[in-house]
Amino acid sequence: MAQSPAPDRMNETQRKAVGAGVDISRLPAHVAIIMDGNGRWAKSKGMMRLVGHRQGYRTLKDVLLSASKLGVSYLTVYAFSAENWRRPEDEVGGLMKLIEEAARHELKGLIENDVRVRVIGRLDEVPSTLQDALNDLVTKTKQNKGIVFTLAINYGGRREIVDAVRALVSKGAAPEDITEESISAQMYFADAPDPDVILRTAGEMRWSNFLIWQGAYAELCVTDVSWPEFGEDALIQCVLDYQRRDRKFGGLNERE
Ligand code: IPE
Ligand code: IPE
Ligand code: MG
């Protein structure tokens, strides 16, 4: 079993987490986040929705750093869903631009922080300049050994399953070759462990088509805090909440 680092070897984030009651030796390896509430946050302040998305980008920078310092190995975030194209054109365009700007602007810092970036979703449908910026980010951080940071862009869980089955069929799979394992192996991000926790901000109790295959046994953590107001303390609370859960995977615990 993993050992907690000695207090003098912990960083500030870990010390804060331990102070709040987190057991550092039992951290979730993979945290996935549905970053929701940017629009409502902006509206509540009388600002345009895009201002909320911009603030959400700042939150993401902080939360990535906090997750990495805490010792989470994989952080996956839902940045744009396959259904978000239904929003008004200016919001969609603004989001695409913001993601591209962020990808270009953050490259250096991500390399310095040893973050490995990956992207899941149907990238061929996003603007080509955004594709270039994302490909650059993925290629130039490939060798990094720190936290694996996955951006879900134009991502839909059902589509991912469809794409996986199509890939198997195109390889000539027979019906008996279609198994949970063979489908899992075709997922966009097959070598990552399934998310231990799916966190959603801004109170909505739904999945919105995020990691529906991989999240089959994830613990759900919903907070009322909106994404622009989320931060290290709220992340620690979520980890604490996760650690209090009784994960059974369909079985029973020793004492049952
Ligand atoms: C989440 O915030 C960000 C994206 C979907 C890109 P929303 O834009 O959904 O914010 P609300 O839910 O309208 O408040
Ligand atoms: C989910 O949030 C998608 C992202 C966070 C990118 P939405 O705001 O799009 O989800 P719904 O529409 O409330 O289900
Ligand atoms: Mg929303």
Side-chain angles (χ1 to χ4, degrees):
M1 203 178 133
Q3 291 280 311
S4 299
D8 58 336
R9 292 194 49 212
M10 284 190 216
N11 60 44
E12 204 185 315
T13 304
Q14 289 175 322
R15 269 199 295 270
K16 197 201 276 183
V18 169
V22 167
D23 175 352
I24 294 286
S25 70
R26 284 196 313 119
L27 288 176
H30 186 173
V31 174
I33 308 183
I34 302 174
M35 308 181 289
D36 198 20
N38 296 350
R40 276 165 282 169
W41 177 84
K43 197 174 167 208
S44 76
K45 301 202 162 337
M47 296 185 293
M48 309 252 301
R49 294 180 57 84
L50 274 167
V51 178
H53 295 315
R54 199 158 272 285
Q55 189 60 37
Y57 159 35
R58 292 193 194 108
T59 300
L60 180 54
K61 282 181 68 161
D62 291 347
V63 170
L64 171 60
L65 210 58
S66 294
S68 167
K69 287 201 284 186
L70 192 58
V72 168
S73 304
Y74 296 82
L75 179 73
T76 301
V77 299
Y78 209 3
F80 191 89
S81 79
E83 289 76 27
N84 285 147
W85 299 104
R86 293 178 189 150
R87 296 188 179 200
E89 223 177 284
D90 60 341
E91 182 168 350
V92 169
L95 275 165
M96 292 294 146
K97 261 208 196 130
L98 176 62
I99 300 172
E100 182 177 336
E101 182 192 310
R104 295 192 194 284
H105 195 253
E106 299 305 328
L107 176 62
K108 197 163 161 269
L110 289 165
I111 293 172
E112 278 165 15
N113 284 303
D114 207 19
V115 177
R116 181 169 171 197
V117 184
R118 306 224 245 188
V119 183
I120 53 173
R122 286 194 186 162
L123 267 202
D124 53 330
E125 294 168 357
V126 306
S128 61
T129 51
L130 174 56
Q131 288 181 36
D132 293 344
L134 291 170
N135 286 332
D136 204 34
L137 206 54
V138 171
T139 314
K140 292 188 173 148
T141 62
K142 226 187 183 94
Q143 308 304 326
N144 291 352
K145 298 279 180 283
I147 191 167
V148 178
F149 173 55
T150 303
L151 278 160
I153 296 173
N154 190 23
Y155 173 87
R158 287 185 173 180
R159 281 186 178 192
E160 184 178 24
I161 298 168
V162 169
D163 286 347
V165 176
R166 280 186 185 166
L168 288 172
V169 171
S170 70
K171 286 182 190 162
E176 60 273 19
D177 298 329
I178 312 275
T179 61
E180 291 190 16
E181 290 73 24
S182 67
I183 293 177
S184 291
Q186 294 299 323
M187 289 284 139
Y188 296 149
F189 189 7
D191 53 347
D194 286 343
D196 299 293
V197 51
I198 295 183
L199 158 67
R200 183 166 187 146
T201 57
E204 232 63 78
M205 304 267 188
R206 59 175 168 257
W207 235 304
S208 301
N209 205 11
F210 188 46
L211 302 178
I212 54 174
W213 177 274
Q214 302 89 330
Y217 266 105
E219 294 297 327
L220 304 177
C221 173
V222 177
T223 169
D224 284 332
V225 178
S226 66
W227 181 247
E229 287 180 330
F230 194 81
E232 184 163 281
D233 292 347
L235 178 71
I236 289 171
Q237 277 311 308
C238 166
V239 171
L240 206 52
D241 189 13
Y242 161 83
Q243 290 189 336
R244 290 190 183 124
R245 307 281 178 91
D246 205 1
R247 299 186 87 189
K248 302 203 268 193
F249 300 98
L252 299 175
N253 284 327
E254 286 149 21
R255 61 187 180 279
E256 287 176 315

